[in-house]
Structure formats: structure tokens, C-alpha cells
Amino acid sequence: MKVVDIRKDGIDGIRKHENKEITVTGCLGERYIGCGMKDGVMHIEGTPGNAIASYLDGGSIYVDGNVQDAAADTMNAGLLAVNGSAGDALAYGMRGGRVYIRGDAGYRAGVHMKAYEDRKSILVIGGRTGSFLGEYLAGGIIIVLNLDEEKDITGYFCGNGMYAGTIYLRTQRPPVNLSDKLITRKVGKEEMESVIRPLVTDFASVFSLSAAKCLEGGFMAVEADKSKSYSQLYAAV
């Protein structure tokens, strides 16, 4: 496996080898790592800066540390797995692939995520999130596990303006300040087995967690109320 020291080789040194399997060391705020990456596997040690995995188009990126703002912005395909927490605007406009965050996410995670035909964006967060989770959600799946259970699972205004897709929360308490254009419901056994369990089991395997622990306690779904007027302005996905 090729080892790239970003302090010596810079972003250009990474791009020369990013379609293979590489380890990037010494990250301390460098931006745009893995942008548009199509193939290969990248292991990152340290704390990358803004916009890691933006436009990711098929490769896999594993971060042993936290990531900053705008991670996985407009991501198309592949995997971003962060063994730490994420800043604001995580997975903004994400169009496909999987983003797994072991810890918490900041404000506006999953804003305007999308789905089209067989391409579905997946965001799984092991901790909790800040306000505006899934704002303007247009498709895909967001799962928040709140494994430490120290605080409310989300901040304010979860799902504001969403009109497609589903947010799954491992809790029995509805989010605070929920819009009257949204509905909440308890997740039944069939949906649990067909949708949530496979994704959470995969998430748990990436971080060597107990899938049973991640799944215990029951889930609540947040979705758009299709009877409300603005949801009819958009095509169903």
C-alpha cells in the first residue's frame, strides 16, 4: 500500500495514486481530498479540511479522525466512512453512495439529498445531529442512531421543507419544532428488516460495532405529509 505524507507531497501527491489503495498521513485541515475520486481505496489519518469526498464518484475513503464542513458535498457514488464526527453541511446535495459517520454531525446534515431510479443516497450517523437535519430532503435515507444517548437525537427543525425520502431516528420521542407538513410514525417490523437492518448492519461492520446495540430500542420515521400543498410541486421519487 502506498503511503502519502500530505505535508510533503500535497494534494497533487494524493491525486497521482488515488485510484489505487493508499494511506494519507499528516492531515491537518487540507481541503478537497478525494474530490471526484472514481476508484481505489483511501485511508486518511488526521483531520482533513472542508469538502473531503466532494463529488466522490465510486471510490472508498476511510477517515481515522474527524472531518470538517461540507464532507461528501454532491457525492455521486462510493463510500465515505468517518471514525469520528463531522462538521456542518454533511452530504449536502448527495446524489448516491453511502456516508457513515461514527460520531456526531453538525448543522444541516443531509440537506437536499436525492434519489433517482436505482441510485439512492444513504447517510448513517452514529451519534446525534444539530438543527436542520434533512432540510429540503428530496430522496434517499438518513438514519441517526444516537448511540451515546446523552442528548436529544437532533436539534431543531428536523426535516424542514423535505418532500421525499425518509429520516429514521432511533428514538421514541418526536423531534422538537417539527413542521406541520411532516408526519412521524413508528417503524414496523417489515420495514425494520428490509430497510434499516441491512444498512445499520453494514454501518456497524465498518466500525466494528455491535449491530444489535445499534438496532435496539425502536425507530421513528419522519416523512413529508403528501397531503400538504408544497409536496405536490415536486416529482415523486
Side-chain angles (χ1 to χ4, degrees):
M1 183 188 300
K2 175 70 175 178
V3 177
V4 177
D5 186 339
I6 197 169
R7 293 165 296 185
K8 297 177 181 178
D9 302 316
I11 294 294
D12 289 340
I14 296 174
R15 288 176 178 160
K16 289 178 182 178
H17 306 284
E18 67 181 10
N19 292 326
K20 303 174 182 178
E21 184 166 7
I22 65 171
T23 294
V24 179
T25 64
C27 282
L28 190 61
E30 291 84 3
R31 298 176 293 172
Y32 310 122
I33 296 174
C35 286
M37 181 174 151
K38 294 181 180 297
D39 299 295
V41 179
M42 185 184 299
H43 305 269
I44 298 176
E45 299 174 0
T47 304
N50 291 358
I52 184 173
S54 290
Y55 314 108
L56 186 67
D57 203 20
S60 297
I61 300 176
Y62 298 87
V63 181
D64 188 13
N66 299 322
V67 297
Q68 297 184 30
D69 298 344
D73 184 354
T74 324
M75 175 175 161
N76 289 315
L79 169 67
L80 171 64
V82 178
N83 194 17
S85 294
D88 296 338
L90 169 70
Y92 182 97
M94 182 182 175
R95 297 182 288 198
R98 295 167 293 149
V99 173
Y100 294 163
I101 308 296
R102 168 61 185 88
D104 299 331
Y107 294 99
R108 290 191 157 87
V111 169
H112 212 259
M113 282 171 48
K114 303 170 180 67
Y116 180 69
E117 294 184 344
D118 62 346
R119 177 171 289 186
K120 183 174 290 186
S121 49
I122 305 295
L123 172 60
V124 183
I125 298 166
R128 66 180 303 276
T129 73
S131 298
F132 300 101
L133 170 70
E135 187 178 35
Y136 308 123
L137 189 67
I141 294 173
I142 298 174
I143 301 175
V144 185
L145 300 173
N146 195 22
L147 294 175
D148 296 329
E149 298 181 332
E150 294 179 356
K151 299 178 180 178
D152 288 339
I153 194 166
T154 69
Y156 296 113
F157 309 116
C158 173
N160 255 24
M162 69 179 285
Y163 50 92
T166 306
I167 299 172
Y168 294 105
L169 305 174
R170 194 178 69 92
T171 183
Q172 296 302 312
R173 297 171 54 191
V176 294
N177 295 100
L178 201 68
S179 167
D180 64 359
K181 292 183 171 60
L182 303 176
I183 59 171
T184 60
R185 56 179 176 79
K186 291 184 178 181
V187 175
K189 182 177 180 180
E190 181 178 349
E191 188 175 13
M192 186 77 181
E193 294 300 315
S194 63
V195 179
I196 296 178
R197 183 178 295 277
L199 294 175
V200 172
T201 299
D202 187 50
F203 168 90
S205 70
V206 168
F207 299 116
S208 300
L209 300 172
S210 165
K213 169 65 176 176
C214 294
L215 289 164
E216 68 182 14
F219 285 76
M220 174 173 291
V222 180
E223 293 177 320
D225 184 343
K226 299 301 184 182
S227 68
K228 302 296 184 179
S229 58
Y230 71 69
S231 67
Q232 304 305 315
L233 299 175
Y234 303 94
V237 291

